[in-house]
Amino acid sequence: MAVTIKDVARETNLAISTISKYMNGGTVRPENRERIEEAVRKLGYSPNHTARGLRTSRTYMIGLVTGKMFSPHTARILSEIEKKLRLLGYSVTFATHEENGIQAKEYVDYMVERGVDGIISTPIGTGQDYLKSAAEQKIPVVILEENSAGNQADCVQVDCSGGAYLIVEHLIEKGHREIAAIKGPDYKLTSLERLRGYLRVMEDYGCPIREEYMIQGDFSYKSGYEGIRRLWELEKKPTAVFVSNYDMCLGAMAAVYNLNIRVPEELSVVSFDDFELSVMVRPRLTTVRQPLEQMADTAVDLLYRRMQGDYSDFPRKIRLKPECVCRDSVKSCLFPQNGGA
């Protein structure tokens, strides 16, 4: 027998009106929300999409258009989005654009034809208006991380410039001045923001910005590996390096191992993104941690408001604050070593 909203109310000892309010996107007390979500998971409750659709002319489907799904960054965001949408009674249709603007447009057009109620999309670097058909059909769209197409759309992103500033400032506060950066591709706004944060903090503290320390990467493992190799060939080597994403940091740490570079004694290493690698390697890495779950939850909440017809603050850009997680990969250069004067 199918689980009903009455069963959820009985399990939580809450009123049916409270359960219904939450299921329809309303705000309830945090403790009530936790009880409802726990009961939904325990009982396997699923709203009757067919009946709801007949009453509201909605499909209760949301389209997710994203880049590489095997990235831990993307996977964590999408997992949280799917979980929250499921609790709200929506099913999810995934499509992977692989940074291909034509392919992304085809996927969006297909989702529009299927009648999705809303779309959440990660950006592509082509600048192409791949969301045009959604805008024409007045389907709400929330873009994650950057609005690279210049669309009039809502956007939820992390303050990447501020995050880069924080972690490079940490290096400077530890006495480092010769700080290299392995940067990301120029066509990504997140990459440019991280570079901007690096440059700004170096300028603010009067640290030299050496051209040979600015290594061009593309957010890939290979470019991170190559970046460390190139830095270690320099006659005047940096004392620290800021690696601007997780995949490049994987490559950078592989190069560190293969070149027998001692971290942090010979080279301090910090990275943007905080995943399993950060605590698995030795020494443990100092990183910028992005609030990925908060980003996902904020995007779903904003999309839901739009689907309910609330456009009072459209278009909205929400910037979330990252944090610097200090571990063991940064050496202090503030005091003389080996008893020197």
Side-chain angles (χ1 to χ4, degrees):
M1 186 173 180
V3 177
T4 68
I5 195 171
K6 292 182 180 179
D7 298 314
V8 177
R10 190 159 42 246
E11 177 71 22
T12 59
N13 200 28
L14 296 172
I16 290 178
S17 59
T18 301
I19 310 295
S20 178
K21 181 180 180 182
Y22 174 77
M23 293 299 177
N24 287 288
T27 301
V28 300
R29 294 176 180 175
E31 60 269 25
N32 289 343
R33 183 189 65 209
E34 292 179 7
R35 290 162 65 184
I36 294 168
E37 292 180 356
E38 176 61 28
V40 166
R41 287 191 290 269
K42 178 179 177 180
L43 300 175
Y45 172 72
S46 179
N48 188 330
H49 296 144
T50 303
R52 292 169 73 194
L54 289 173
R55 291 195 300 270
T56 64
S57 298
R58 296 178 182 174
T59 62
Y60 289 90
M61 289 192 304
I62 302 296
L64 288 184
V65 185
T66 180
K68 298 175 181 178
M69 294 180 64
F70 58 79
S71 159
H73 174 90
T74 303
R76 188 168 296 178
I77 294 173
L78 296 185
S79 175
E80 184 69 18
I81 288 175
E82 194 274 336
K83 180 176 72 175
K84 180 148 188 173
L85 286 171
R86 180 162 30 87
L87 289 171
L88 290 172
Y90 289 85
S91 60
V92 175
T93 299
F94 289 92
T96 306
H97 57 60
E98 297 288 348
E99 299 289 342
N100 183 315
I102 296 175
Q103 189 177 67
K105 183 179 184 304
E106 291 175 352
Y107 286 144
V108 171
D109 291 349
Y110 170 76
M111 290 177 177
V112 170
E113 290 173 4
R114 289 285 305 275
V116 295
D117 295 330
I119 293 174
I120 296 176
S121 174
T122 60
I124 58 175
T126 64
Q128 181 176 342
D129 187 5
Y130 63 101
L131 297 166
K132 182 179 180 181
S133 60
E136 291 174 345
Q137 296 299 316
K138 301 188 184 311
I139 295 174
V141 173
V142 173
I143 298 176
L144 295 176
E145 300 187 282
E146 58 185 55
N147 196 345
S148 58
N151 296 290
Q152 283 291 99
D154 294 306
C155 180
V156 179
Q157 58 188 185
V158 172
D159 179 9
C160 288
S161 178
Y165 192 105
L166 278 176
I167 202 161
V168 177
E169 183 178 49
H170 174 68
L171 290 171
I172 295 171
E173 289 173 343
K174 288 293 186 178
H176 294 273
R177 291 181 59 82
E178 307 294 333
I179 304 171
I182 303 178
K183 56 185 182 175
D186 293 338
Y187 63 82
K188 280 188 173 290
L189 296 183
T190 51
S191 171
L192 294 176
E193 274 211 3
R194 294 170 196 185
L195 176 61
R196 190 179 305 125
Y198 164 85
L199 294 173
R200 192 172 78 243
V201 69
M202 294 288 280
E203 181 179 353
D204 285 352
Y205 282 87
C207 297
I209 299 172
R210 302 179 183 276
E211 184 177 350
E212 64 271 25
Y213 286 177
M214 304 288 289
I215 304 297
Q216 183 65 60
D218 59 8
F219 279 174
S220 71
Y221 174 99
K222 181 179 179 181
S223 65
Y225 189 102
E226 180 66 16
I228 293 295
R229 190 191 65 77
R230 287 176 56 189
L231 288 172
W232 222 239
E233 289 177 346
L234 296 174
E235 182 177 351
K236 184 175 178 57
K237 297 175 174 58
T239 64
V241 60
F242 165 53
V243 187
S244 61
N245 94 321
Y246 178 73
D247 288 340
M248 290 197 303
C249 192
L250 287 173
M253 293 309 293
V256 161
Y257 177 80
N258 289 338
L259 294 171
N260 296 314
I261 302 170
R262 291 179 300 142
V263 175
E265 292 82 3
E266 294 180 286
L267 181 69
S268 292
V269 179
V270 299
S271 174
F272 212 100
D273 291 327
D274 185 55
F275 295 110
E276 289 78 5
L277 170 75
S278 306
V279 293
M280 288 174 61
V281 299
R282 292 294 181 270
R284 301 174 307 154
L285 290 176
T286 292
T287 62
V288 175
R289 178 181 294 163
Q290 300 193 66
L292 301 183
E293 287 81 4
Q294 184 185 2
M295 182 193 299
D297 291 348
T298 303
V300 172
D301 289 343
L302 184 54
L303 183 69
Y304 189 84
R305 280 208 296 119
R306 299 303 185 230
M307 294 190 297
Q308 302 306 305
D310 181 358
Y311 280 81
S312 57
D313 55 354
F314 180 84
R316 180 89 184 276
K317 177 179 283 191
I318 300 174
R319 289 175 66 83
L320 305 175
K321 298 297 182 184
E323 62 176 315
C324 181
V325 182
C326 299
R327 297 191 180 97
D328 312 318
S329 62
V330 176
K331 170 186 173 182
S332 175
C333 300
L334 292 173
F335 305 104
Q337 302 296 312
N338 300 321

